[in-house]
């Protein structure tokens, strides 16, 4: 084990002891927010410290086997040390503070006309079916249907445990190759949509929306006509003047609810913009492709004639397009998360070298 890693682990063992003293003190629960933060930190630190203790035990076993010239026992102890060191490196990877947050999922039709709108509808169904499988709650924040079906744009709020951790690598350009229903010659067309995954912002702690920097317009929501057409100006358009970010919401008949939803989306977009700008400033020369979140980057192709889905970032191709479009995304998402961890471990090793 590298000395730098051992030093880090020794400091975590010391931190565990400090936290145990703090949590056991008489006034520990006087400040419940502080108590909860210490409890969470202790849970994380204790798990790593326990692994390190197992490693040190295996290290002691190896030393004893070496002194007694017990080759099989020595081999077994070394194998345990290798396995535990790999687990410790993974456990020490920095955690994404957004992983447990809910998300806003935005799908926008791009190049390809009507077919792009239809594909946006397919992606909407794919993600909502995946959310159902995860037992997450899905709420439509805003939708702009396209003329032939599907969407010009649709924004969802997805609520549940670990939503962002599962979906965070989905931002980018999604391309579809297939024969449109309106194509008489049977030619394959290519069209595209963009997907953005935004962790929901805590408006109190993450983003402060200054009313002086907002322009809020009301307008009449577009409806399908008949008795259900919206007679009042309940639709809301919010413009954040410093950044030019515009959010519209007309899904609810209540102006108050539309305003509330629009401000939530706006806060998430502002926070996302701030974080991406910060990441661009601090990015190392070795930039993680998976974690870049570049909206213009083509990340995945859905080829219907060949029945395949290809994620270009990790060169993963799966011949199960029907199942993937029905929300069976685990294999793709787990492969992306695994590759990202591998990149993190490589970077950690480079920094420790």
């Amino acid at each position: 084990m590298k000395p730098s890693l051992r030093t880090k682990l020794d400091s975590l063992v010391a931190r565990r002891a400090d936290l145990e003293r703090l949590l056991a003190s008489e006034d520990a629960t006087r400040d419940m927010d502080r108590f909860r933060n210490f409890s969470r930190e202790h849970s994380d630190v204790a798990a790593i410290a326990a692994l390190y203790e197992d490693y040190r035990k295996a290290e002691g076993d190896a030393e004893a086997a070496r002194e007694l010239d017990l080759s099989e026992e020595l081999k077994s102890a070394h194998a345990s040390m290798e396995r535990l060191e790999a687990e410790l490196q993974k456990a020490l990877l920095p955690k994404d503070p957004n992983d447990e947050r809910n998300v806003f999922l935005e799908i926008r039709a791009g190049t390809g006309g009507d077919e792009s709108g239809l594909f946006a509808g397919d992606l909407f169904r794919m993600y909502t079916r995946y959310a159902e499988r995860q037992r997450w709650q899905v709420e439509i924040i805003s939708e702009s249907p396209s003329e032939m079906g599907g969407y010009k744009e649709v924004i969802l709020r997805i609520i549940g445990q670990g939503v962002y951790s599962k979906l965070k690598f989905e931002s980018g350009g999604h391309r579809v190759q297939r024969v449109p229903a309106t194509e008489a010659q049977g030619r394959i067309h290519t069209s595209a949509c963009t997907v953005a995954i935004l962790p929901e912002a805590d408006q109190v702690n993450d983003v402060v929306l200054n009313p002086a920097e907002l322009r809020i317009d009301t307008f009449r929501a577009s409806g399908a006509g008949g008795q259900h057409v919206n007679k009042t100006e309940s639709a809301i358009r919010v413009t954040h003047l410093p950044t030019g970010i515009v959010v519209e919401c007309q899904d609810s008949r209540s102006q108050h609810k539309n305003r509330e939803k629009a401000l939530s989306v706006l806060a998430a977009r502002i926070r996302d913009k701030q974080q991406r700008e910060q990441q661009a400033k601090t990015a190392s020369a070795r930039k993680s492709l998976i974690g870049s979140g570049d909206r213009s980057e083509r990340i995945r192709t859905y080829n219907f004639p060949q029945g395949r889905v290809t994620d270009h970032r990790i060169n993963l191709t799966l011949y199960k397009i029907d199942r993937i479009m029905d929300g069976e995304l685990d294999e793709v998402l787990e492969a992306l998360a695994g590759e990202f961890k591998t990149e993190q471990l490589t970077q950690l090793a480079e920094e420790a070298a």
Side-chain angles (χ1 to χ4, degrees):
M1 181 182 286
K2 287 193 171 82
S4 58
L5 181 58
R6 193 180 292 274
T7 301
K8 194 169 190 176
L9 290 165
D10 285 335
S11 70
L12 282 175
V13 170
R15 179 58 179 164
R16 179 183 61 178
D18 289 342
L19 288 165
E20 285 170 353
R21 280 194 296 272
L22 288 166
L23 289 168
S25 66
E26 289 182 10
D27 61 346
T29 56
R30 188 173 293 170
D31 182 338
M32 285 308 295
D33 284 339
R34 186 167 173 263
F35 180 76
R36 279 191 288 268
N37 288 336
F38 283 155
S39 296
R40 276 195 294 267
E41 186 185 355
H42 179 265
S43 177
D44 291 339
V45 168
I48 297 171
L51 273 176
Y52 184 41
E53 284 167 359
D54 289 344
Y55 177 87
R56 289 197 296 193
K57 181 181 180 301
E59 201 172 34
D61 292 343
E63 184 61 32
R66 190 180 296 109
E67 287 176 2
L68 296 170
D69 199 22
L70 301 172
S71 59
E72 285 301 313
E73 286 80 354
L74 181 61
K75 187 177 176 183
S76 175
H78 278 155
S80 294
M81 287 168 65
E82 283 182 22
R83 174 181 58 80
L84 288 163
E85 185 172 351
E87 287 183 33
L88 282 164
Q89 286 179 336
K90 284 183 182 177
L92 285 169
L93 290 176
K95 289 181 172 59
D96 189 330
N98 294 321
D99 274 351
E100 292 304 313
R101 290 183 187 247
N102 302 326
V103 305
F104 290 106
L105 188 158
E106 304 182 350
I107 305 170
R108 291 185 182 82
T111 55
D114 292 334
E115 174 64 12
S116 178
L118 291 169
F119 181 48
D122 293 336
L123 291 176
F124 167 85
R125 183 178 183 276
M126 180 182 79
Y127 288 120
T128 52
R129 290 286 292 122
Y130 178 69
E132 286 169 15
R133 293 171 189 274
Q134 301 297 312
R135 291 181 167 77
W136 293 337
Q137 181 185 341
V138 178
E139 175 187 351
I140 296 178
I141 297 295
S142 175
E143 57 182 325
S144 176
S146 60
E147 293 173 8
M148 296 287 291
Y151 297 98
K152 294 175 186 174
E153 176 186 274
V154 60
I155 302 174
L156 310 175
R157 180 173 179 242
I158 304 181
I159 306 130
Q161 187 174 356
V163 179
Y164 184 75
S165 69
K166 294 280 184 76
L167 294 178
K168 62 184 174 182
F169 300 123
E170 290 300 285
S171 291
H174 294 242
R175 185 177 69 167
V176 64
Q177 295 173 325
R178 63 183 172 191
V179 179
T182 54
E183 171 55 60
Q185 305 296 321
R187 289 174 298 191
I188 296 171
H189 285 227
T190 299
S191 54
C193 292
T194 57
V195 170
I197 304 293
L198 311 178
E200 187 173 32
D202 180 339
Q203 288 192 47
V204 176
N205 298 320
D206 296 332
V207 177
V208 177
L209 295 176
N210 182 351
E213 296 178 342
L214 302 177
R215 188 175 72 233
I216 300 178
D217 302 307
T218 59
F219 59 98
R220 186 169 296 177
S222 56
Q227 62 179 342
H228 298 297
V229 72
N230 200 323
K231 304 293 186 191
T232 61
E233 293 199 337
S234 63
I236 292 286
R237 181 186 299 111
V238 182
T239 305
H240 185 244
L241 299 173
T243 61
I245 295 171
V246 180
V247 178
E248 288 185 5
C249 188
Q250 55 178 313
D251 195 58
S252 171
R253 295 190 180 196
S254 160
Q255 187 181 109
H256 175 73
K257 284 184 180 176
N258 281 332
R259 177 191 170 103
E260 192 177 278
K261 289 178 180 180
L263 289 174
S264 293
V265 175
L266 178 64
R269 287 189 188 171
I270 291 171
R271 185 173 185 274
D272 178 65
K273 184 175 187 293
Q274 290 171 345
Q275 287 192 327
R276 284 192 287 130
E277 286 174 351
Q278 185 62 32
Q279 285 165 1
K281 286 178 185 174
T282 59
S284 61
R286 185 179 177 279
K287 185 180 178 184
S288 168
L289 177 62
I290 295 170
S292 67
D294 186 349
R295 302 284 186 267
S296 63
E297 177 197 347
R298 186 193 72 190
I299 63 167
R300 194 174 299 146
T301 295
Y302 305 75
N303 186 301
F304 278 81
Q306 295 178 15
R308 66 173 168 84
V309 173
T310 298
D311 196 290
H312 304 289
R313 296 164 293 178
I314 55 174
N315 296 319
L316 173 71
T317 296
L318 300 172
Y319 288 88
K320 49 174 77 173
I321 195 166
D322 291 340
R323 287 162 61 185
I324 288 171
M325 297 308 294
D326 194 44
E328 291 189 25
L329 288 169
D330 281 328
E331 191 170 354
V332 180
L333 301 183
E334 286 168 11
L336 287 162
E339 184 67 20
F340 183 60
K341 275 192 176 177
T342 300
E343 287 194 351
Q344 284 184 302
L345 285 167
T346 302
Q347 200 159 1
L348 193 69
E350 287 174 357
E351 289 168 1

